[in-house]
Amino acid sequence: MGSLEVREMEAFLALAEELHFGRAGERLYLSQSRVSQLLRTLEQRVGARLVERSSRRVRLTPLGEDFLAELRPAYSALQATVDGARAAARGVQGLLRIGFQGSSSNELMAAIELFHRRHPDCSTELVEISLSDPFGPVYRNEVDTALVLMPMQEPDLVLAQVFPAQPQTLAVASRHPFATRTSLSAEELTECPLIGPRGPAPHYWRSAIALELTPTGRAIPTGPAVGTLEEGLALVAAGRGAMLLCQAAAEEHRRRSVTFVPVSGLEDSRLGLVWHRNHETARVRAFGQAVAAVG
């Protein structure tokens, strides 16, 4: 059958998307006849027609549809490999978009500083991620990597690093009876509704951020659902409920109207660095290494 040429694959993929030889040629900077020639050669290698063409329209054959479904991810993986090799050859350059939830922690800023020292030709952009959509910006490729609250059970995402654990605190209105306490037990969470994130955050994540049960299985009242941390703290100040925050976030968001009380008996809060496995680049990997170095 002979070796498959990359240009043949590109011609077939462009034609499968455009369903027009002229437009496919324009995308590839090739003549229409050259696209047709590449397709005929590919079909000869395969041994069957992949595209039906007439004077009125172009469409894929059933075999062409199957071939497209398998070729597209393989070609994308090949392209990513070549792009990664190019990036490694010239060093880490370009823009790295870093998402974060709630606040830019000291650990995150230390990792960014180290990353810049190691890779001065790469710039960074910080993007705040809403409490209600922790993984969406990564899936939509709005950020290259993100620091989000754990847990993370997304099969398409990579959990690269986990930051040091932080004890939990309960944010309550300063006039709330709990505000005079020096600490609380997890079982006392049954005495106030917990404010938590709304969707599209997955349920497993929302129920971990705003607990539904105490460690012994007692039900915790459900408070309002919010889209952002600031929205949640505003409702806390208004007496609409309480909110669980890690100690580091509590220190970043101190205000007179809200008191943060340590809670014992809960699992510590953790932040993790995640990225989409199909969008991994040399920049992303280099930042993960910087996070690991300061963690």
Side-chain angles (χ1 to χ4, degrees):
M1 184 176 70
S3 60
L4 183 63
E5 297 289 340
V6 172
R7 212 53 168 154
E8 294 168 10
M9 292 189 289
E10 292 174 340
F12 174 74
L13 290 170
L15 187 59
E17 292 181 7
E18 298 291 345
L19 295 178
H20 189 280
F21 280 86
R23 290 195 297 269
E26 289 174 2
R27 277 181 53 174
L28 300 173
Y29 300 98
L30 298 174
S31 67
Q32 182 172 327
S33 61
R34 178 58 176 155
V35 173
S36 181
Q37 180 187 18
L38 288 168
L39 179 65
R40 284 197 303 271
T41 303
L42 177 61
E43 289 178 330
Q44 288 171 4
R45 295 183 193 280
V46 172
R49 297 287 292 273
L50 299 174
V51 175
E52 293 179 354
R53 51 274 225 204
S54 68
S55 59
R56 306 183 67 175
R57 69 174 181 175
V58 174
R59 67 178 181 181
L60 299 182
T61 65
L63 178 62
E65 294 281 2
D66 293 341
F67 186 66
L68 175 65
E70 297 199 22
L71 177 61
R72 183 175 279 150
Y75 178 78
S76 297
L78 176 62
Q79 197 171 42
T81 300
V82 173
D83 290 343
R86 285 174 177 164
R90 65 175 181 261
V92 177
Q93 298 176 326
L95 173 67
L96 180 70
R97 301 164 301 167
I98 305 168
F100 68 95
Q101 278 191 303
S103 62
S104 52
S105 66
N106 292 334
E107 291 86 355
L108 173 59
M109 300 314 296
I112 292 174
E113 182 180 353
L114 176 60
F115 178 75
H116 282 305
R117 289 202 305 270
R118 289 178 171 179
H119 309 287
D121 292 331
C122 189
S123 59
T124 55
E125 177 180 278
L126 283 172
V127 180
E128 184 173 2
I129 294 177
S130 71
L131 191 66
S132 62
D133 194 16
F135 310 118
V138 182
Y139 277 116
R140 295 189 296 270
N141 201 26
E142 296 169 358
V143 297
D144 301 303
T145 185
L147 194 65
V148 296
L149 284 165
M150 295 289 96
M152 195 282 288
Q153 301 173 10
E154 306 298 304
D156 293 327
L157 303 188
V158 174
L159 176 59
Q161 301 293 337
V162 178
F163 277 68
Q166 290 280 341
Q168 300 260 36
T169 70
L170 186 70
V172 296
S174 295
R175 61 183 180 277
H176 191 280
F178 283 170
T180 61
R181 300 277 296 275
T182 57
S183 66
L184 298 168
S185 73
E187 296 302 317
E188 291 179 282
L189 295 177
T190 59
E191 298 179 30
C192 56
L194 281 186
I195 297 168
R198 66 169 68 99
H203 180 264
Y204 77 82
W205 190 85
R206 285 183 277 130
S207 61
I209 305 305
L211 298 177
E212 299 173 348
L213 300 172
T214 68
T216 62
R218 299 167 63 198
I220 299 173
T222 301
V226 298
T228 67
L229 178 56
E230 284 298 330
E231 184 183 350
L233 290 174
L235 290 179
V236 169
R240 297 283 304 280
M243 197 171 187
L244 285 170
L245 274 76
C246 70
Q247 184 175 321
E251 292 172 356
E252 290 280 340
H253 292 87
R254 292 201 179 277
R255 58 200 68 189
R256 286 184 298 177
S257 58
V258 176
T259 299
F260 298 92
V261 187
V263 182
S264 62
L266 293 180
E267 288 188 13
D268 288 340
S269 176
R270 286 177 169 83
L271 288 168
L273 185 72
V274 303
W275 59 69
H276 199 290
R277 64 179 69 254
N278 292 341
H279 301 152
E280 184 174 318
T281 64
R283 290 190 297 273
V284 167
R285 289 191 295 272
F287 185 69
Q289 292 165 2
V291 169
V294 302

